[in-house]
Amino acid sequence: MGRKKPQKIALPPALPPEVPDEDVEVSDEDLEFVNENVDFAGFLSTLDTHTIDKHVNRVADAKKVGEDALEAAYEKRLQKNKKKKDTEEEDKRVEVERVDALPVKSLDGKLYYRTLSEKKAEGGELEDGAGDDQKDMGLVRLTKAEKRAKLKKSKKEAKRLDNEAGGEKGDEAPQAAVLAEIQKDLSAEEIFESKKQKLAELGLALQADPEANIKSLKEMIQLCKDPNPTIVKLSLLSLLAVYKSIIPGYRIRLPTEKELEMKVSKEVKKIRFYESTLLSTYKGYLQRLVTLEQDPKFQHVAVRCICALLDAAPHFNFWQSLLSAVVSSISSTDDVIRKVSCDTIKSLFMNEGKHGGEATIEAVRMIADRVKALNCQMHPDSIEVFMSLTFDEDLVKPDKVDEDKKKPKYNKNNKRKNAEEPAQVLQNDKKRSRKEMATKMREEVAADFKAAAFTPDFAEKKKMQSDTLSAVFETYFRVLKQTMHSTTTSSEVNGNSISAHDPHPLLSPCLNGLGKYSHLIDLDYIGDLMNYLKRLAGATNGLIISERLRCCIIAFRVMRSNLDALNVDLQGFFVQLYNLLLEYRPGRDHGEVLAESFKIMLCDDRHHDMQKAAAFVKRLATFSLCFGSAESMAALVTVRHLLLKNVKCRNLLENDAGGGSVSGIVARYQPDATDPNLSGALASVLWELNLLSRHYHPTVSSIASGIANMSAAPGQAILRINSPQQAYRDLSLEKEAFDLQQDVVKSSNKRKKSLPNGASARTSLETDIAMSDLVDEEEELSRKFCEHFRVLEEMKENERARDELARTKVALQVYEEYKQLRKKKSKKQVKTVVAAQ
């Protein structure tokens, strides 16, 4: 076989000639291209130039020598590299100590000592000494004693290293835990601050340019779902400020499908996108608020945000949802939530210009429905908001005269003209059609403006006011009916928490509302209202004296507000007032209500029957002996008014036992009579004025003395006090402040002036001593009175505490009976199940 030809070696391509950097010319376009595309040349910095040069280097004069010489050159290079590698390995080898290993003698007579590679030597040092002779074949084996010593030494060294490592770990462990905790706190605080900063930036950007940054609302709503409750509260408040700033003054209407299919300009598209995004995010925000309202952590913040939004934008979309949430909170047990909600409803009622009255009537209807659903067991503030309503009394039907003026008048000449000119009518058909179209367009534009302006016309406003009034009076009548029904069935136990404390929580605000809007009540319902009030005033169970007096007061106000259309007998209410005077208690009942009843029922009434007036004069005088100075003063002012109006009743001031020449139908006075007309008060004498003239309070004693002397000087001015209410306010226990010492000094000065000069000089010392004793007595008397009233107040408080304790015991007893019944029922069910099995 012939010799194989050596394979040709593929030479690398020839390198370009080297050009010095100075001769290289770079154009401006190349520089501009390189500057613009700097990133594309980044790989040049990572090239391995050494490897490239190694592969590209050529053997000198390769073409001239030929392929065989080239192959020999490559083999020579390989041998050279191999030899270089062997020398490096020999240099790395470690010579074994001559004591531990015997040398080897070559044929030349040279001694060669055994060597060990550097890697094996290092490995041997790291390993235990027992395995050194096994790995290194050239080492001498150790004896057993040396092996034990070496092993023992290695164990001690290992134990020492372990102890040092354990001590370092023990020192580093608490430090690492503390560092980790600090790092965690720092990271949480940084995250919190970054979120706060983000909220502030998004809010400021939205307020600065809402249309450009409207998408930021979605990011802020996402932050409302953060696990950190502080971030959630800050997000809710930030969104509240943003929405109050960017909500428009009109209600947004989304485009229909047909409108979306139409081609519009970019501005219209931009506005549509802005409005749709605003509306969708606003809806999501409201849903989040309603959800968080149920969580105790966020309840206060959520309610405040809801109320603020409703107060700021009652015209905007979804205002019904906001109003429903606010109305559900007006009877909350939380005072803060209830106050905020009630203030918002009052603001809606007083600022109808923001919504045109639409929110007012809706709020009144919702409150009426809620009162009906809860059977009138709500907080009094829930219907106290009706007192903030305002009604326009000038809303009347338009006059028919104006309508008649607008109608064209009939004229005979018009008939002739219409008959003579039929051709002109046909010619003007086109003009009429154009006018009709223009009129129709104007009406549509006016309707759009009207809807946007929230200003209802006369008819709509009147209808809204009538609907609001009907809802308000429907609520008031429902409260009266429920109260009347509960008083008749007061023996039944009500489990509601409010009714257990106050069985009629809505009666007082209901009566206040009826008194304020009595002139707006429809005449068809006044008869039923008077019957309800009369039955409530005579109810002996369930109502306190103040509430029964309020019923009488409201009845008189309703009667006087509709005096022209009413003919109602109010005798029953006088009978109730006459009997309630005996049941009144100063600490338990309200004296202001009593004074108001005196003024409205007795002082303001123009005509009184003589028998009735005398009966009230006698009972009020007796009443003044039993109670405090404020009530006594109000009663005596009323007595003075009655005696001034009824001259014949002044016969009660005479001294004879029969009361003068007038005795009336009843010949003898009956103090226990329930009807003032049958009491026979004209047959009695006002002996109570003699005792009242010595009353401890100087104002009461002075007015009693003035009334007693009225028969002698009928035209004198007794006091400047004109009404019982003013008298009660001036002399109430809270404002009672008088100086008895001043009065004593004045009386002593009068006595000195009345005596002659010689007598006054002789008795000056005795007068001073007597005056000082009298002052001491008066101070002691005032102190005793204060102690007496303090004891009375403590007794009343004790009575209230006992009543509450009795109610609690009854409730606990009922609950125990209920538990026993439940246990019996459960036992019976278990027995039946066991028997069935």
Side-chain angles (χ1 to χ4, degrees):
M1 294 179 63
R3 185 181 176 184
K4 291 183 179 180
K5 294 182 179 181
Q7 295 179 359
K8 294 182 179 181
I9 299 172
L11 297 175
L15 292 174
E18 294 184 0
V19 180
D21 296 339
E22 297 176 356
D23 298 339
V24 176
E25 295 182 0
V26 181
S27 64
D28 296 338
E29 296 179 358
D30 296 338
L31 283 175
E32 185 177 357
F33 178 79
V34 171
N35 293 330
E36 291 178 356
N37 303 282
V38 176
D39 296 338
F40 295 160
F43 71 95
L44 295 175
S45 61
T46 59
L47 288 178
D48 190 358
T49 56
H50 180 71
T51 306
I52 295 172
D53 294 340
K54 185 177 179 182
H55 285 284
V56 174
N57 281 341
R58 298 171 177 271
V59 180
D61 300 332
K63 293 182 181 180
K64 297 179 180 180
V65 175
E67 295 180 358
D68 295 336
L70 184 61
E71 186 176 355
Y74 275 107
E75 288 178 358
K76 187 177 180 181
R77 181 185 292 177
L78 290 174
Q79 291 176 1
K80 185 179 179 181
N81 291 337
K82 186 177 180 181
K83 189 177 181 180
K84 186 177 180 181
K85 187 176 181 181
D86 292 340
T87 55
E88 289 178 356
E89 289 181 358
E90 288 178 359
D91 295 338
K92 290 181 180 179
R93 293 182 71 85
V94 180
E95 186 177 354
V96 181
E97 294 183 4
R98 300 180 181 183
V99 179
D100 297 333
L102 294 174
V104 178
K105 189 174 183 181
S106 65
L107 295 176
D108 299 337
K110 294 182 180 180
L111 295 176
Y112 293 96
Y113 290 91
R114 295 191 179 186
T115 58
L116 180 66
S117 64
E118 190 176 0
K119 292 182 179 179
K120 290 184 177 182
E122 292 176 357
E125 290 177 359
L126 294 174
E127 294 178 357
D128 294 339
D132 291 343
D133 54 345
Q134 295 178 1
K135 292 182 180 179
D136 302 331
M137 300 302 295
L139 294 177
V140 179
R141 293 185 180 180
L142 300 176
T143 61
K144 291 183 179 180
E146 290 175 349
K147 288 181 179 179
R148 290 194 197 100
K150 197 170 185 179
L151 182 61
K152 189 174 181 180
K153 185 178 179 181
S154 63
K155 286 183 178 179
K156 287 183 179 180
E157 188 69 19
K159 188 175 182 180
R160 184 180 63 79
L161 293 173
D162 292 340
N163 291 334
E164 290 178 359
E168 292 176 358
K169 290 181 180 179
D171 295 338
E172 292 177 358
Q175 295 178 2
V178 171
L179 289 173
E181 187 175 356
I182 292 172
Q183 188 69 21
K184 185 178 179 181
D185 294 341
L186 289 174
S187 62
E189 188 174 355
E190 289 175 359
I191 292 171
F192 178 74
E193 292 296 332
S194 65
K195 289 181 179 179
K196 284 175 59 178
Q197 186 70 20
K198 185 177 181 181
L199 276 174
E201 292 175 357
L202 293 175
L204 291 174
L206 278 166
Q207 290 182 346
D209 191 357
E211 294 184 359
N213 303 299
I214 192 63
K215 293 182 180 179
S216 301
L217 285 173
K218 296 181 180 179
E219 299 181 23
M220 297 182 73
I221 290 176
Q222 288 298 325
L223 288 173
C224 294
K225 302 177 183 179
D226 195 83
N228 190 351
T230 307
I231 294 295
V232 175
K233 293 179 181 179
L234 291 175
S235 304
L236 294 176
L237 295 174
S238 301
L239 282 168
L240 172 64
V242 169
Y243 279 119
K244 287 174 67 176
S245 177
I246 68 175
I247 283 178
Y250 57 90
R251 194 172 298 167
I252 294 176
R253 183 186 67 83
L254 295 177
T256 60
E257 295 180 359
K258 292 183 179 180
E259 291 176 348
L260 291 173
E261 293 175 356
M262 297 171 60
K263 292 183 179 180
V264 293
S265 62
K266 291 183 179 180
E267 293 295 329
V268 175
K269 287 182 179 179
K270 188 177 179 181
I271 293 173
R272 285 182 179 178
F273 175 75
Y274 171 76
E275 291 182 346
S276 61
T277 307
L278 175 62
L279 204 58
S280 61
T281 54
Y282 186 67
K283 182 179 180 181
Y285 178 57
L286 296 185
Q287 291 175 350
R288 187 63 180 163
L289 286 176
V290 173
T291 305
L292 293 176
E293 188 183 4
Q294 309 301 325
D295 192 348
K297 295 183 195 175
F298 309 102
Q299 190 175 16
H300 284 241
V301 178
V303 171
R304 285 184 182 275
C305 292
I306 291 172
C307 294
L309 279 177
L310 182 61
D311 189 17
H315 63 280
F316 197 59
N317 301 63
F318 309 114
W319 63 270
Q320 295 93 340
S321 303
L322 289 172
L323 184 60
S324 177
V326 173
V327 169
S328 63
S329 302
I330 59 175
S331 60
S332 174
T333 55
D334 193 331
D335 295 338
V336 176
I337 294 176
R338 186 178 63 252
K339 185 178 183 303
V340 172
S341 303
C342 293
D343 291 343
T344 304
I345 297 295
K346 292 178 182 178
S347 177
L348 280 182
F349 292 162
M350 291 186 290
N351 300 317
E352 291 188 353
K354 293 182 179 181
H355 49 81
E358 189 177 5
T360 298
I361 184 172
E362 189 67 23
V364 172
R365 286 174 179 171
M366 286 183 179
I367 294 173
D369 295 339
R370 189 167 181 80
V371 171
K372 181 180 179 181
L374 296 178
N375 196 19
C376 303
Q377 299 302 319
M378 299 172 63
H379 197 274
D381 293 344
S382 57
I383 66 171
E384 187 73 26
V385 296
F386 288 163
M387 301 294 289
S388 301
L389 288 169
T390 55
F391 297 101
D392 189 2
E393 300 178 10
D394 297 332
L395 287 177
V396 294
K397 293 182 179 180
D399 297 332
K400 294 183 179 180
V401 180
D402 299 336
E403 297 179 358
D404 295 338
K405 289 181 180 179
K406 294 179 181 179
K407 294 180 181 179
K409 294 183 179 181
Y410 177 76
N411 194 356
K412 295 180 180 180
N413 297 327
N414 293 336
K415 187 175 181 181
R416 294 178 182 176
K417 291 180 180 179
N418 293 332
E420 293 175 357
E421 300 177 356
Q424 294 181 358
V425 174
L426 295 174
Q427 292 177 358
N428 294 333
D429 286 340
K430 294 182 179 181
K431 294 182 180 180
R432 289 180 180 178
S433 61
R434 292 176 182 175
K435 289 182 179 179
E436 290 176 357
M437 291 178 64
T439 305
K440 189 176 180 180
M441 290 290 291
R442 290 192 191 96
E443 291 177 355
E444 291 178 357
V445 173
D448 292 339
F449 273 113
K450 180 181 175 182
F454 298 106
T455 53
D457 58 0
F458 184 86
E460 290 181 359
K461 191 173 181 180
K462 183 178 180 181
K463 184 178 182 302
M464 291 170 64
Q465 178 167 309
S466 63
D467 293 343
T468 305
L469 274 174
S470 63
V472 169
F473 286 120
E474 179 187 356
T475 304
Y476 287 159
F477 275 87
R478 178 172 284 107
V479 173
L480 292 177
K481 189 174 181 180
Q482 192 272 342
T483 305
M484 187 175 60
H485 178 70
S486 62
T487 53
T488 56
T489 59
S490 59
S491 59
E492 298 179 2
V493 179
N494 195 343
N496 193 296
S497 61
I498 299 177
S499 62
H501 207 35
D502 186 4
H504 316 293
L506 300 183
L507 181 60
S508 179
C510 171
L511 295 175
N512 293 333
L514 287 172
K516 182 177 181 180
Y517 304 122
S518 58
H519 60 286
L520 300 173
I521 301 176
D522 194 353
L523 297 178
D524 298 335
Y525 301 105
I526 288 181
D528 297 334
L529 176 62
M530 299 300 285
N531 292 331
Y532 287 160
L533 293 174
K534 187 181 294 184
R535 293 178 62 179
L536 290 174
T540 57
N541 295 326
L543 295 181
I544 61 176
I545 303 302
S546 300
E547 292 175 345
R548 295 168 66 183
L549 288 173
R550 290 289 296 167
C551 293
C552 299
I553 293 169
I554 297 304
F556 273 77
R557 283 185 178 175
V558 172
M559 184 271 296
R560 286 172 185 165
S561 299
N562 302 275
L563 189 61
D564 298 335
L566 284 179
N567 188 12
V568 181
D569 185 14
L570 300 175
Q571 181 61 29
F573 294 100
F574 284 110
V575 174
Q576 296 297 333
L577 177 61
Y578 187 74
N579 294 321
L580 288 174
L581 289 174
L582 299 177
E583 301 178 15
Y584 177 82
R585 298 293 179 270
R588 180 191 64 186
D589 304 318
H590 301 289
E592 293 182 358
V593 178
L594 181 67
E596 186 180 1
S597 65
F598 289 163
K599 181 180 183 300
I600 292 177
M601 299 178 66
L602 299 177
C603 296
D604 293 347
D605 199 0
R606 298 178 181 177
H607 304 287
H608 280 295
D609 182 50
M610 185 175 59
Q611 292 286 345
K612 181 172 64 178
F616 274 104
V617 168
K618 181 64 177 177
R619 179 148 292 187
L620 289 174
T622 308
F623 172 84
S624 302
L625 292 172
C626 305
F627 300 112
S629 58
E631 289 86 354
S632 301
M633 192 65 186
L636 290 176
V637 170
T638 308
V639 168
R640 188 195 66 176
H641 276 283
L642 292 175
L643 292 177
L644 288 174
K645 291 180 180 179
N646 300 274
V647 180
K648 294 183 179 180
C649 293
R650 297 180 190 175
N651 294 321
L652 297 172
L653 301 174
E654 297 180 2
N655 295 328
D656 56 338
S661 59
V662 181
S663 60
I665 302 173
V666 183
R668 186 177 180 182
Y669 175 60
Q670 299 178 3
D672 298 334
T674 57
D675 191 349
N677 293 321
L678 302 177
S679 63
L682 288 173
S684 64
V685 178
L686 289 178
W687 52 268
E688 294 87 355
L689 295 177
N690 189 16
L691 297 177
L692 290 171
S693 61
R694 302 177 184 179
H695 197 272
Y696 73 93
H697 199 287
T699 309
V700 177
S701 62
S702 61
I703 191 174
S705 302
I707 294 172
N709 298 326
M710 188 181 293
S711 60
Q716 66 180 352
I718 301 173
L719 278 176
R720 294 181 181 179
I721 299 175
N722 296 322
S723 67
Q725 290 175 302
Q726 181 184 352
Y728 180 83
R729 284 193 296 267
D730 293 342
L731 276 79
S732 60
L733 290 176
E734 291 79 12
K735 298 181 180 179
E736 187 176 21
F738 58 93
D739 192 358
L740 294 174
Q741 184 177 359
Q742 228 176 5
D743 297 334
V744 173
V745 172
K746 289 180 181 179
S747 62
S748 63
N749 291 334
K750 289 180 181 179
R751 291 177 185 174
K752 284 182 181 180
K753 290 179 181 179
S754 61
L755 293 174
N757 295 330
S760 62
R762 288 191 302 269
T763 60
S764 60
L765 181 62
E766 297 178 359
T767 305
D768 294 338
I769 295 172
M771 186 178 65
S772 61
D773 294 340
L774 186 60
V775 169
D776 294 338
E777 291 178 0
E778 294 293 343
E779 290 179 354
E780 183 68 18
L781 183 63
S782 63
R783 185 182 62 79
K784 288 183 179 180
F785 270 114
C786 293
E787 292 179 357
H788 174 69
F789 284 115
R790 192 180 302 110
V791 171
L792 288 177
E793 290 178 358
E794 292 176 356
M795 291 173 63
K796 291 167 188 174
E797 291 179 358
N798 292 334
E799 289 179 0
R800 293 171 187 167
R802 291 192 191 97
D803 294 339
E804 292 180 1
L805 181 61
R807 295 194 201 100
T808 307
K809 287 181 178 179
V810 171
L812 291 173
Q813 186 176 1
V814 171
Y815 180 67
E816 291 294 334
E817 293 177 358
Y818 172 72
K819 287 174 65 177
Q820 292 177 2
L821 290 174
R822 289 290 301 272
K823 287 181 180 179
K824 289 180 181 179
K825 288 182 181 180
S826 60
K827 288 180 180 179
K828 288 181 180 179
Q829 291 177 357
V830 171
K831 289 180 180 179
T832 53
V833 171
V834 171
Q837 291 179 354

